[in-house]
Amino acid sequence: MSQRVLITGGAGFVGQWLSRAMLERGWKVFAGTLDGPPPVPTLTPSETSAVCWTPLDITSGESVQRAVETSTPDRVVHLAGIAFAPEANASPIRAFEINALGAMRLLAALAPATGVRALVVGSAEEYGAQDSSAYPIAETATLRPLTPYAVAKASQELIALQACRSTGVEVICTRSFNHSGVGHGDSYLLPTLVRRVRELPKSGGALRIGNGKVIRDYLHVTDVVDAYMLLLDKGQSGEVYNVCSGQGTTVRELAERVLKRAGVSAEISSDSSLLRSIDVPILVGDNRKLRATTGWAPKRSIDDIIDDLIHAAPR
């Protein structure tokens, strides 16, 4: 049956990929956005035309209410927020206003409705630094957020689960680990590595990275979208699910793979100016709960992400 779906942050990286998947299902997609269709779309022109671009300012209760009334959704995916952790950490109050209180406004607007299922997308950063024996980390781990970004996302999750318990809105939460693909912002790690490799002189030069020992768990954006679609269908209300590969890769290994996929030889050097003042050393998740609930399994690899980014990069 065709569904009416509201995606907050619909013009963003994941929002566009999710819109495509929903359009392919024949769903009516309302993409909440501050500024209309994205200036650099991942969607094709026909897909962009098929989406209902809906004004939505997550910091305004009135704007959120209007977007909900316009879309009258059966399903909601909450992606709106400051996604780039350093930006959030530089403005903690703004980050909390958008990333935590935004969810409160949205779920308050949904509360009177019946039968709405909302997927609230959180972050693996909520886990913070854990004992090495805890990895791959499961949803039962105690949250130890280290940064303002992580605190805001953990607060978003608490707000969402409280709304589920008190208002009856069906809410499923994720703690999503790193993911990338075509359309991902240039400030993020893998797109940045691809850009730096493409800018290297033919003689090779040096590829600059920050802390090469940091370990991250990466998924292709299409596998993340598959997980979100399955959770909308099969996720249990009031539960939290890791969306992750279960495999960890160091930043240095990622840099080596980008060089290999691009066919470039270069030295890898650590640049102190690229180090973050607070960085969780390891973030690798346990995805067994997601698999057991939905039957999901990742189909794409890190090399697929890198290849897609290389082929999409301006020449």
Side-chain angles (χ1 to χ4, degrees), residues 237-257:
S237 180
E239 291 294 324
V240 180
Y241 298 87
N242 285 339
V243 178
C244 58
S245 72
Q247 303 295 320
T249 307
T250 68
V251 168
R252 185 178 181 87
E253 288 167 344
L254 289 173
E256 291 169 348
R257 290 169 87 157

Side-chain angles (χ1 to χ4, degrees), residues 84 184-189 191-192 276:
F84 188 50
H184 204 193
D186 191 47
S187 54
Y188 293 91
L189 177 60
T192 295
R276 293 185 180 181

Side-chain angles (χ1 to χ4, degrees), residues 122-141:
S123 170
E125 292 280 345
E126 297 172 45
Y127 286 118
Q130 303 279 337
D131 296 335
S132 59
S133 60
Y135 299 99
I137 197 161
E139 293 86 350
T140 52

Side-chain angles (χ1 to χ4, degrees), residues 16-17 21 23 35 52 62 74 78 91 97 105 112 115 119 129 164 172 185 192 198 207 252 290 294 299 301 307:
Q16 291 189 68
W17 281 97
L23 290 171
D35 302 311
C52 298
E62 291 182 2
D74 305 296
H78 182 45
S91 304
E97 174 72 31
R105 294 184 189 96
L119 183 71
C164 176
I172 302 107
T192 295
R198 296 188 66 83
L207 174 59
R252 185 178 181 87
L290 173 63
T294 67
K299 301 183 179 83
S301 67
D307 290 346

Side-chain angles (χ1 to χ4, degrees), residues 19-20 24 29 49 85 104-105 110 134 146 178 212-213 226 248 254 271 275-276 282 297 299 309 315:
S19 293
R20 171 175 290 156
E24 289 172 353
V29 178
S49 297
M104 183 176 284
R105 294 184 189 96
L110 296 178
L146 278 175
N178 293 71
K213 296 180 180 179
D226 286 347
L254 289 173
D271 185 338
L275 297 175
R276 293 185 180 181
I282 306 171
K299 301 183 179 83
L309 290 170
R315 297 186 182 276

